[in-house]
Amino acid sequence: MKITFLGGGNMASALIGGLLNQGFSPEDIAMIEIDAKNRSRLVKAYGLRCFARPEDQAMQCDALLLAVKPQQMREACASLPPFLKQQLVISIAAGLRLADLSRWLGGHDKLVRAMPNTPALIGSGVTGLYALPSVSEAERLGAERILQAVGRTLWVTDEAQIDAVTAISGSGPAYVFLFIEALQQAALTLGFTPGQARLLSIETMLGSARLAAQSDEPASLLRERVTSKGGTTEAALLRMAECGVKDGIIVGVLAANARGAELGDLLGKD
């Protein structure tokens, strides 16, 4: 499989590194990047073929991965239609719907929409995927192979679910970081040094996530096992409930989902 990336940001770099670790050759990967410094960096780091703009040699690929900002996607797509044949096109632009992308690409319909999250930068991401009906099973497997270079994947059957993926896992790292931030602040209030607060907070989050991942039991049961009647954990959870912590998280995720739909409307306007 030959892959061309349009855009050379952090997510593209993570995907390229993951693909090379999986056994892809630098000769199988090309990059279209208008920024000369980024081109130089990518050539130095990975030995890729880099191009300043779309051209025949750059577009001789099986999959084209669009890794540009959503607000820049229409402009980035403007020069692509003459070079598109049967390539699979994968978009990782949040909020941008495939119907709009297809329109900007002159009706090209071999399209997959992907939503990775920032832990992909260290190979621990999770990516939601949605494909148009015209994408074959082999092409779906190809898209999956590319995104699994940076973590796990999950296919959805309705494109609207990609907004929900964005709200849960795409934005999710920010929720986790907020909780770590709160734990660290509490630890500082209780007299720990910044280094101690960081260690206790991050290792607790890591260990708890690993325990949940390795257990077949629901998170609610794991929580109950830590919570002794009349104990310290119960005191904390009761106070958090009074402050609406859990409900606030749920409402926040729903707000992110709604905003994703709004962004789709805005980005797709002519």
Side-chain angles (χ1 to χ4, degrees):
M1 174 186 282
K2 291 189 178 297
I3 305 167
T4 295
F5 287 80
L6 177 61
N10 291 336
M11 190 61 69
S13 294
L15 282 162
I16 291 166
L19 290 167
L20 293 175
N21 288 337
Q22 283 188 352
F24 277 79
S25 166
E27 288 75 30
D28 295 328
I29 303 173
M31 172 67 68
I32 302 170
E33 171 56 70
I34 61 173
D35 187 273
K37 288 184 178 179
N38 267 347
R39 288 199 305 275
S40 177
R41 175 181 61 83
L42 291 163
V43 170
K44 184 177 180 180
Y46 302 114
L48 303 181
R49 295 175 294 122
C50 287
F51 304 85
R53 62 189 61 83
E55 56 183 79
D56 286 332
Q57 191 176 358
M59 293 293 288
Q60 291 176 3
C61 59
D62 302 298
L64 173 65
L65 200 142
L66 304 179
V68 298
K69 294 180 180 179
Q71 297 84 354
Q72 299 171 345
M73 185 65 79
R74 184 182 306 205
E75 181 181 358
C77 289
S79 60
L80 294 177
F83 302 100
L84 287 174
K85 297 175 183 177
Q86 290 299 310
Q87 298 99 323
L88 177 68
V89 178
I90 304 170
S91 168
I92 61 171
L96 181 60
R97 294 171 186 148
L98 293 186
D100 298 313
L101 182 61
S102 178
R103 189 172 74 253
W104 299 342
L105 293 175
H108 190 78
D109 63 357
K110 294 284 187 179
L111 301 178
V112 169
R113 185 173 166 189
M115 188 64 243
N117 61 1
T118 54
L121 300 178
I122 60 168
S124 295
V126 59
T127 300
L129 294 165
Y130 171 77
L132 290 183
S134 51
V135 175
S136 70
E137 183 61 26
E139 289 166 334
R140 286 168 62 99
L141 290 173
E144 198 170 81
R145 184 183 179 192
I146 293 170
L147 273 302
Q148 283 179 347
V150 291
R152 302 186 64 176
T153 55
L154 171 72
W155 285 98
V156 299
T157 57
D158 182 343
E159 187 173 5
Q161 289 180 291
I162 289 291
D163 290 331
V165 168
T166 303
I168 295 169
S169 61
S171 300
Y175 317 149
V176 175
F177 298 147
L178 177 63
F179 199 84
I180 292 173
E181 181 185 354
L183 281 178
Q184 288 179 333
Q185 187 171 334
L188 291 173
T189 301
L190 292 171
F192 291 100
T193 67
Q196 291 170 330
R198 175 182 171 83
L199 175 69
L200 289 170
S201 302
I202 293 177
E203 290 303 317
T204 297
M205 293 292 290
L206 283 171
S208 300
R210 288 174 183 147
L211 179 59
Q214 294 176 18
S215 176
D216 294 328
E217 296 171 333
S220 59
L221 181 56
L222 296 176
R223 171 182 52 77
E224 289 170 6
R225 286 184 176 161
V226 186
T227 311
S228 301
K229 185 69 173 177
T232 58
T233 306
E234 184 184 60
L237 293 177
L238 287 172
R239 190 69 182 95
M240 288 179 187
E242 290 174 5
C243 293
V245 172
K246 184 177 179 181
D247 290 342
I249 293 170
I250 295 170
V251 170
V253 171
L254 296 179
N257 180 61
R259 182 56 179 163
E262 291 173 1
L263 287 174
D265 293 338
L266 291 170
L267 291 166
K269 282 184 178 179
D270 290 324

